Amino acid sequence: MFAKRSQNVLDTYMNRLLTVSMRIGVLMLQSGAEIYRVEDSVHRIHLAYCASESQVYCVPTTVIASVSLPGGRTATRCVRVSSHCTNLSRMMALSDLCRRICLLKPDFDTIDREIDRILSMPVYNSWQTCAAWALVSAGFTMLFGGGFLESALSIIPAVLVALLSFALGLLHVNAYFNLLLESFCIGAISMSFSLLSPSIHSDAIIIGVLMNLVPGLALTNCIRDVMAGDLTAGVSKLSDVILTAVSIALGAVGAALLMGGGFLIMDNLPFFLAMACCLFGCLGFSMSNNVRRRTLLWANIGGCVALAVYLLTPVSLGVAMRSFFGTLAAALYSEIMARLRK
């Protein structure tokens, strides 16, 4: 009887450990974390609570974890992940929680309360998200060759399409169809401005507003996953990024055929005006991705650093090399700030 009671205690302990660790892992994955970050976090939590062995496998739609105790007992848990969003504030809070768990080893009830607290953290509401879309559109419209008039007009399709996005989300419409419809509306509304006045560059407005739909974070994550050796997850995310890009392109193809041309003409802007446009655009992206308010300034500075390096790199090197140096500056800045503000 004593042996059976001990086995029941061990089973309960393993189930609670798996429940807590998987809850954190799934929430991180849903919030936009990289695959290697999810696997490493769950693995470290298991080892912190005396697991003799821990195996974690994660893909964008599933998390599987197996934990073994020194006595030889093993338990496995599999969770299907059906929904994703981008909430960098929640992801940062969960990463910080994992570090504190490994350091302090609190009881499972305390961890559950901390997770509930993180889930109750405020996020930007609908109107703040609309304002974020407007900031991104206004900033990037000017960077891509529009004037102050085009920058102001870009706010109209940005807000309307943001509201459309909320409505489609409530209806649980397919994500790719959402992007197709949203990009089509952006092109149609922006082109209507040219009908009112031929002097309006609707092509810059289209590109500026479409920046809200570009899957930049997903593309970055899939590249990092591939570099970390998670080929299955990386290729899966890359497929999602490609389908997203195709949906956006198909929705705006009519406007793109009519407008044509290139838009990388930000060199014609005065340096400080380009910096101001970048600041507005980065602020909007940060709000759309639910970056913590106290982190907004540092995120915006990072965007300005990347653009400054791009603009200061000699034009003779070409767009590709200038973009490379700008991206390299952004990556170095991010790594430094991640360690300073960890």
Side-chain angles (χ1 to χ4, degrees):
M1 182 177 295
F2 179 77
K4 185 176 181 179
R5 183 176 300 175
S6 299
Q7 291 177 358
N8 291 336
V9 171
L10 289 176
D11 289 340
T12 302
Y13 179 83
M14 285 193 299
N15 286 331
R16 289 285 283 145
L17 177 58
L18 279 173
T19 299
V20 167
S21 62
M22 292 290 280
R23 189 182 181 193
I24 292 175
V26 169
L27 287 173
M28 292 181 70
L29 186 61
Q30 290 177 325
S31 300
E34 308 93 320
I35 295 297
Y36 79 87
R37 184 189 298 271
V38 175
E39 292 180 342
D40 184 64
S41 298
V42 176
H43 177 72
R44 289 178 181 272
I45 291 174
H46 291 168
L47 296 183
Y49 284 83
C50 302
S52 60
E53 185 178 357
S54 172
Q55 299 293 334
V56 185
Y57 178 74
C58 179
V59 291
T61 57
T62 308
V63 181
I64 304 173
S66 177
V67 60
S68 300
L69 294 181
R73 301 188 66 81
T74 302
T76 302
R77 186 74 57 87
C78 176
V79 178
R80 167 78 173 176
V81 182
S82 57
S83 62
H84 294 80
C85 66
T86 302
N87 191 329
L88 298 183
S89 178
R90 178 181 295 173
M91 189 194 71
M92 291 169 60
L94 290 168
S95 296
D96 181 63
L97 174 61
C98 289
R99 286 190 287 269
R100 287 188 282 120
I101 288 174
C102 296
L103 181 64
L104 303 176
K105 300 179 180 60
D107 60 82
F108 296 133
D109 291 333
T110 301
I111 297 175
D112 280 330
R113 287 194 296 269
E114 187 64 18
I115 295 174
D116 292 336
R117 184 192 66 80
I118 292 173
L119 291 176
S120 64
M121 290 172 57
V123 296
Y124 295 105
N125 58 36
S126 300
W127 292 110
Q128 289 173 321
T129 303
C130 287
W133 274 61
L135 287 172
V136 171
S137 302
F140 280 98
T141 295
M142 189 167 291
L143 281 176
F144 287 120
F148 287 103
L149 176 59
E150 287 82 3
S151 183
L153 289 175
S154 69
I155 296 175
I156 298 175
V159 173
L160 292 177
V161 174
L163 294 174
L164 174 63
S165 178
F166 297 144
L168 294 175
L170 294 175
L171 296 174
H172 302 289
V173 181
N174 180 270
Y176 301 117
F177 179 78
N178 282 4
L179 292 169
L180 183 71
L181 183 59
E182 290 166 10
S183 59
F184 174 81
C185 291
I186 290 171
I189 297 172
S190 301
M191 289 172 60
S192 67
F193 296 140
S194 293
L195 299 178
L196 299 175
S197 175
S199 63
I200 296 176
H201 299 285
S202 59
D203 49 355
I205 298 176
I206 292 173
I207 296 298
V209 183
L210 283 178
M211 288 299 295
N212 287 286
L213 304 180
V214 173
L217 180 63
L219 179 60
T220 303
N221 283 351
C222 77
I223 294 174
R224 294 191 66 171
D225 286 334
V226 170
M227 294 179 65
D230 296 312
L231 297 180
T232 302
V235 172
S236 175
K237 286 186 176 181
L238 181 60
S239 301
D240 178 65
V241 169
I242 292 174
L243 289 174
T244 298
V246 169
S247 300
I248 296 172
L250 289 177
V253 67
L257 289 175
L258 289 175
M259 302 303 168
F263 303 98
L264 288 172
I265 54 179
M266 65 180 74
D267 300 305
N268 296 331
L269 285 177
F271 181 81
F272 291 105
L273 181 56
M275 288 294 101
C277 295
C278 180
L279 189 66
F280 282 119
C282 291
L283 177 61
F285 271 129
S286 299
M287 293 174 63
S288 297
N289 292 318
N290 283 295
V291 174
R292 291 178 180 176
R293 288 173 173 80
R294 64 174 181 268
T295 314
L296 285 176
L297 175 62
W298 303 108
N300 295 338
I301 292 175
C304 291
V305 168
L307 180 61
V309 172
Y310 173 88
L311 294 176
L312 295 175
T313 303
V315 179
S316 59
L317 293 178
V319 173
M321 288 303 298
R322 298 174 75 195
S323 300
F324 170 76
F325 286 119
T327 304
L328 180 62
L332 291 175
Y333 174 86
S334 300
E335 290 294 334
I336 293 172
M337 294 306 299
R339 281 157 177 75
L340 292 178
R341 297 180 54 82
K342 189 171 183 179

